[in-house]
Amino acid sequence: MAAIKAVSSLLSSLIVFFLLLLPHACIDAQSLKVCKFDGIYQLGDSVSDTGNLIREKPALPFARLPYGQTFFKKPTGRCSNGLLIIDYIAQATGIPLLDPSLDKDALFTRGRGENFAVAGSTALSAEVLAQKNISPPLTNSSLSVQLDWMLTHFNGICFNAKDCAEKLKTALFIVGEIGGHDFEYALFQGKSIEEVTHLVPKVVQAIKDAVTKVISNGGARVVVPGLFPIGCLPIYLTGFHANNSADYDESHCLKRLNTLAIYHNDQLKRAIEVLRKENPGVVIVYGDYYNAFQWVFSHAPRLGDYLFSKDRMCGNPGVPVCANPDERISWDGVHMTSKANQHIANRLIQDILPTLNCKA
Ligand SMILES: *[C@@H]1O[C@H](CO)[C@@H](O)[C@H](O)[C@H]1NC(C)=O
Ligand SMILES: *[C@@H]1O[C@H](CO)[C@@H](O)[C@H](O)[C@H]1NC(C)=O
């Protein structure tokens, strides 16, 4: 009992991570401007969705305050209190925040990119997942569906393939983060970690196929983000709460889930190596979300109360607003706060800039 108490008190100190003492990120977030990107095209899930899922499912909590309370002062469909990593990347690039592709009124920023990401979406199609008895609960707009939207969009703005290649060579493409939900749904729908590990090559192949399609349609600079350390996220810490302290690493994250994320990320990095050989003229960069998150995590020295439980996410009826989101990493147990996203984005930009190889 004492051991259980100790573990759960460790856990309780974990979830709300204070960022107050986080040193200022030592980079100029404007530095992406040297790349002179004139548009950004984003595919992915809730990490990047700027309003697509709520147009499919308007009743979701992300369509209500307190989602969006910071910066926007209204819900936008972003799964955060404020801005997402992609928003900080857009700002650092000097491009307006990306409109969600399903917002048919948002013609204003067209031509400077578009966001096809859908919260809750998977790398594998709903049909492929169904064969494995996994069902995506929120949306069927998987990576291949988003790609179709993107290609339809390009058909609308390009005269032909050559024109598209010309128009898109100065754009930034971001394919992911995606795949996290494939594993999440499988795990929460009763699959073992071993079974889920067998999904990794298929998920990575789906991402590789998507990147290939982006490139064959004119994409010349592509960032492919990996997974976060999912064993550190409150939703998993709650759902897979273990009694044995050996199941946790020194940061009190679930080891086997982080091992799964690392395995996926290693496979993804190998796929990127292959893609580079297959497409010598194209810049393809791994987006190290895992280590960017770990950096923020390890620099958030002050710990607070553990307020998260799966059915008490901020934004659900009867749940109070999370106080002081600027001092926390986790906004709702699944998604990061605006502040955490900012730190992760800064870290990421610093990391990808040399590989993007932009000439000043
Ligand atoms: C996904 O598609 C299946 C089969 O068409 C359907 O039964 C299910 O309701 C859809 N799921 C969502 C979340 O829209
Ligand atoms: C942890 O212990 C509780 C109470 O003994 C038990 O119900 C639960 O199944 C255990 N959890 C795991 C993951 O072993």
Side-chain angles (χ1 to χ4, degrees):
M1 196 61 199
I4 298 172
K5 270 240 164 77
V7 171
S8 68
S9 92
L10 276 179
L11 273 174
S12 40
S13 26
L14 247 183
I15 308 310
V16 184
F17 310 93
F18 280 72
L19 291 173
L20 279 181
L21 302 180
L22 195 61
H24 287 289
C26 53
I27 63 138
D28 173 10
Q30 303 299 308
S31 49
L32 265 181
K33 288 213 170 104
V34 304
C35 294
K36 301 191 175 68
F37 293 121
D38 62 1
I40 304 178
Y41 295 92
Q42 170 82 56
L43 303 161
D45 64 18
S46 55
V47 172
S48 317
D49 182 357
T50 54
N52 285 319
L53 182 63
I54 63 159
R55 290 182 166 80
E56 293 184 355
K57 293 249 159 73
L60 287 169
F62 321 127
R64 297 196 300 273
L65 287 168
Y67 284 86
Q69 69 177 10
T70 310
F71 189 84
F72 297 102
K73 316 285 181 216
K74 61 172 191 194
T76 62
R78 285 169 175 79
C79 297
S80 178
N81 60 307
L83 296 169
L84 305 179
I85 295 171
I86 176 60
D87 295 319
Y88 289 109
I89 290 176
Q91 287 183 342
T93 310
I95 284 179
L97 302 186
L98 300 183
D99 288 327
S101 57
L102 296 184
D103 181 359
K104 293 309 169 202
D105 300 327
L107 294 166
F108 193 64
T109 63
R110 296 289 152 94
R112 306 214 62 190
E114 197 160 315
N115 193 335
F116 303 93
V118 181
S121 68
T122 49
L124 298 173
S125 69
E127 293 75 28
V128 170
L129 290 170
Q131 287 161 14
K132 301 174 192 312
N133 285 324
I134 302 164
S135 63
L138 290 176
T139 179
N140 287 337
S141 302
S142 64
L143 185 54
S144 58
V145 174
Q146 295 172 29
L147 262 175
D148 285 346
W149 295 345
M150 192 171 83
L151 300 189
T152 303
H153 172 69
F154 291 157
N155 279 338
I157 62 167
C158 308
F159 297 116
N160 53 37
K162 189 162 166 282
D163 180 46
C164 231
E166 190 56 36
K167 282 204 166 83
L168 298 177
K169 71 176 187 207
T170 40
L172 173 65
F173 288 81
I174 308 179
V175 183
E177 175 276 326
I178 188 89
H181 287 307
D182 301 59
F183 306 135
E184 179 195 326
Y185 301 150
L187 288 164
F188 280 96
Q189 291 170 23
K191 305 273 189 248
S192 67
I193 292 191
E194 287 71 27
E195 288 173 295
V196 173
T197 304
H198 290 305
L199 277 180
V200 169
K202 293 185 176 61
V203 165
V204 168
Q205 185 64 43
I207 299 170
K208 181 171 183 276
D209 291 346
V211 174
T212 300
K213 223 164 188 177
V214 163
I215 292 169
S216 68
N217 281 277
R221 288 185 285 184
V222 190
V223 173
V224 189
L227 295 182
F228 290 115
I230 57 174
C232 303
L233 303 183
I235 183 179
Y236 287 101
L237 288 165
T238 309
F240 297 94
H241 175 256
N243 295 328
N244 189 342
S245 61
D247 292 333
Y248 295 91
D249 68 12
E250 64 283 358
S251 305
H252 314 297
C253 303
L254 285 160
K255 278 187 198 166
R256 295 177 72 214
L257 290 170
N258 278 359
T259 302
L260 173 68
I262 290 169
Y263 177 63
H264 168 90
N265 291 345
D266 284 346
Q267 299 276 312
L268 189 61
K269 283 186 255 184
R270 275 192 211 163
I272 289 171
E273 284 305 323
V274 176
L275 280 163
R276 285 181 181 141
K277 292 209 177 79
E278 291 169 352
N279 305 279
V282 178
V283 175
I284 309 167
V285 181
Y286 174 67
D288 195 346
Y289 282 25
Y290 191 104
N291 283 304
F293 179 95
Q294 288 292 50
W295 183 87
V296 173
F297 198 79
S298 62
H299 287 79
R302 292 215 293 164
L303 304 172
D305 298 328
Y306 181 20
L307 297 171
F308 171 77
S309 79
K310 247 178 92 184
D311 53 3
R312 286 180 59 79
M313 300 209 308
C314 297
N316 277 349
V319 179
V321 172
C322 294
N324 305 325
D326 274 2
E327 298 167 5
R328 294 161 188 227
I329 288 182
S330 182
W331 166 244
D332 61 10
V334 185
H335 308 108
M336 317 294 171
T337 59
S338 194
K339 202 72 187 173
N341 283 331
Q342 181 179 22
H343 287 293
I344 292 171
N346 282 347
R347 194 74 190 167
L348 199 73
I349 290 167
Q350 185 181 30
D351 192 42
I352 63 176
L353 251 179
T355 327
L356 279 171
N357 198 20
C358 302
K359 306 275 186 301

